Amino acid sequence: NIGYVFASNPDFQVGMYDLYPTDVEAGIRTNTKQLVEKGVITEEELADRLSRISFTNDIDSDIVKNADFVIEAVFEDMKIKRETFAKLEERCAEDTIFCTNSSVMSPSEISAELKHRERFVGTHFWNPGHLIPLVEVVRTKYVSDQVVQATYDLLQEAGKKPVIVKKDVPGFLANRMQHALQREAISIVENGIADARDVDDAIKYGFGMRLGVSGPMEVIDRGGLDLTCSIHKYLFPHLENSTEPSRLMLRLMEEGKLGKGAVLTTTMTVDDTAPTVTALSKDLRTGNLTVTAQDNQFVAVVQVLNASGSEILASSALEQSEAGQPASVTIDLSQLKIGPSCMVRVADYAGNESLY
């Protein structure tokens, strides 16, 4: 999605890198199918954007080495992110701007071990990145003013709406406000003030409708600071200020009521003759499929196939470790061209395999 966004500018040439061969065009076409069908963009415009996108799975390629601006979007794992940027720093020019698209991890912490931390900044694209304009440009402890401004300008040239987060704090900017609202919403339900449906309706059919044209600071300015201050003096003592998750939420989780975005886990046996139990977990929030082997002396390869099993869409190996040690591998299904269903093949070192 991010590559598609930058390809909207005819002055940009976009390169994409991944460890494994990836059909970038197919992924972009899947994500933009409804935009073409609804006439938001034409097929010709889409093809024009795609012509400006190149892909490589060779980190030593010119696509990587000659990059002026790099945005990382790997798994939310500090070790993986740091290793990725360490490799990039060995290959890219010293003035190449490095960005992380992490939604939760501190960009200051991610960049802490780099030699040139002054060229590193956070760029949090709100999902889905090709539809929602907002990108949070998060300053690190080390970044230069020039890099922040250059990143801001480049995002504008790509058609985004960047905002600058002056301090690297948990939640950055928008998530802090979003979760403050969720805390109060849950508290209202927990304290019997209103039902969950009415809480949602009050926002969707009330002040939520004006948020697209008037932000909270604009509403305060329009209403007057004197009026707003008077309301706050009366209301704030009655608002939720807990620093812990809601007791209601914790109780529902204990009852197994995890919501539509929960992680669904099924435990299966790969080979009845081997002490290997593999858990397949599909996270509906992220699209990640995680396969965990209890003893990966026996599990070698995990593959995702199309529904008929005729095409391998992704493949990943588990590194062999000491007997009895668990290991797992995660595959991002959202990046694959699959329909409503797919197959997962788990193979062991002896060549035995199971399909799910």
Side-chain angles (χ1 to χ4, degrees):
N1 287 344
I2 295 176
Y4 168 81
V5 167
F6 279 95
S8 66
N9 189 318
D11 294 330
F12 295 162
Q13 289 296 318
V14 180
M16 300 181 68
Y17 163 77
D18 199 346
L19 287 171
Y20 306 103
T22 302
D23 191 341
V24 172
E25 178 173 342
I28 290 176
R29 286 190 175 278
T30 298
N31 290 341
T32 58
K33 181 180 179 182
Q34 288 189 337
L35 297 180
V36 175
E37 292 175 346
K38 301 294 184 182
V40 177
I41 61 171
T42 66
E43 173 61 35
E44 291 73 20
E45 289 171 330
L46 176 58
D48 184 50
R49 290 196 189 191
L50 289 171
S51 70
R52 290 190 285 276
I53 300 177
S54 304
F55 174 82
T56 182
N57 61 341
D58 178 9
I59 197 169
D60 290 310
S61 71
D62 289 342
I63 289 178
V64 175
K65 291 180 178 180
N66 296 334
D68 299 309
F69 188 84
V70 176
I71 298 178
E72 160 271 315
V74 302
F75 298 127
E76 294 283 26
D77 181 291
M78 183 62 69
K79 184 173 182 288
I80 294 176
K81 289 182 181 292
R82 283 183 167 179
E83 289 176 349
T84 299
F85 282 112
K87 293 176 182 178
L88 289 170
E89 193 166 47
E90 293 174 354
R91 292 164 173 83
C92 296
E94 291 186 4
D95 60 351
T96 299
I97 294 176
F98 286 170
C99 308
T100 177
N101 184 42
S102 177
S103 60
V104 295
M105 292 186 174
S106 162
S108 297
E109 189 176 348
I110 295 172
S111 64
E113 298 178 354
L114 294 177
K115 297 175 183 177
H116 297 285
R117 294 174 292 183
E118 74 283 350
R119 46 99 164 259
F120 191 99
V121 67
T123 50
H124 176 214
F125 285 70
W126 273 65
N127 195 37
H130 65 302
L131 297 179
I132 297 182
L134 178 65
V135 181
E136 294 171 303
V137 180
V138 185
R139 295 187 66 102
T140 70
K141 298 176 183 178
Y142 324 103
V143 68
S144 70
D145 293 339
Q146 292 79 8
V147 166
V148 172
Q149 189 60 52
T151 301
Y152 184 95
D153 293 342
L154 195 69
L155 288 166
Q156 281 193 319
E157 292 175 31
K160 304 302 287 181
K161 177 58 181 176
V163 295
I164 295 178
V165 185
K166 296 181 179 181
K167 294 183 179 180
D168 180 2
V169 294
F172 306 146
L173 193 165
N175 261 325
R176 292 174 73 93
M177 293 186 286
Q178 178 172 251
H179 286 276
L181 173 59
Q182 289 181 6
R183 178 174 63 180
E184 185 61 35
I186 295 170
S187 178
I188 288 172
V189 176
E190 185 175 10
N191 287 286
I193 299 170
D195 293 333
R197 184 183 298 276
D198 288 334
V199 168
D200 286 341
D201 284 350
I203 296 171
K204 290 190 291 185
Y205 300 102
F207 70 87
M209 298 187 71
R210 70 184 182 204
L211 284 177
V213 293
S214 294
M217 304 308 290
E218 292 172 318
V219 171
I220 292 172
D221 184 46
R222 188 175 297 116
L225 272 64
D226 52 345
L227 173 61
T228 302
C229 186
S230 177
I231 293 172
H232 287 181
K233 284 181 180 180
Y234 178 80
L235 184 60
F236 276 10
H238 305 285
L239 297 182
E240 184 61 67
N241 62 359
S242 173
T243 59
E244 299 293 332
S246 159
R247 293 187 300 274
L248 172 61
M249 192 186 316
L250 294 174
R251 178 172 59 79
L252 291 173
M253 290 173 61
E254 290 174 357
E255 295 173 359
K257 300 173 182 178
L258 303 180
K260 295 179 180 179
V263 178
L264 307 181
T265 303
T266 306
T267 301
M268 308 175 185
T269 300
V270 175
D271 186 341
D272 292 335
T273 64
T276 302
V277 177
T278 299
L280 285 82
S281 306
K282 168 68 187 302
D283 189 333
L284 300 180
R285 294 163 294 187
T286 64
N288 290 341
L289 172 76
T290 300
V291 179
T292 303
Q294 179 180 340
D295 183 343
N296 75 318
Q297 282 279 306
F298 299 93
V299 177
V301 177
V302 176
Q303 296 176 329
V304 177
L305 302 89
N306 59 4
S308 65
S310 62
E311 181 183 358
I312 298 175
L313 304 177
S315 181
S316 188
L318 280 77
E319 294 183 6
Q320 192 169 9
S321 62
E322 296 181 7
Q325 296 300 310
S328 65
V329 63
T330 300
I331 298 173
D332 186 356
L333 297 182
S334 68
Q335 302 300 313
L336 304 180
K337 186 180 179 181
I338 59 176
S341 62
C342 65
M343 299 180 69
V344 178
R345 174 188 290 147
V346 181
D348 64 20
Y349 288 98
N352 302 310
E353 63 179 43
S354 296
L355 291 175
Y356 303 105

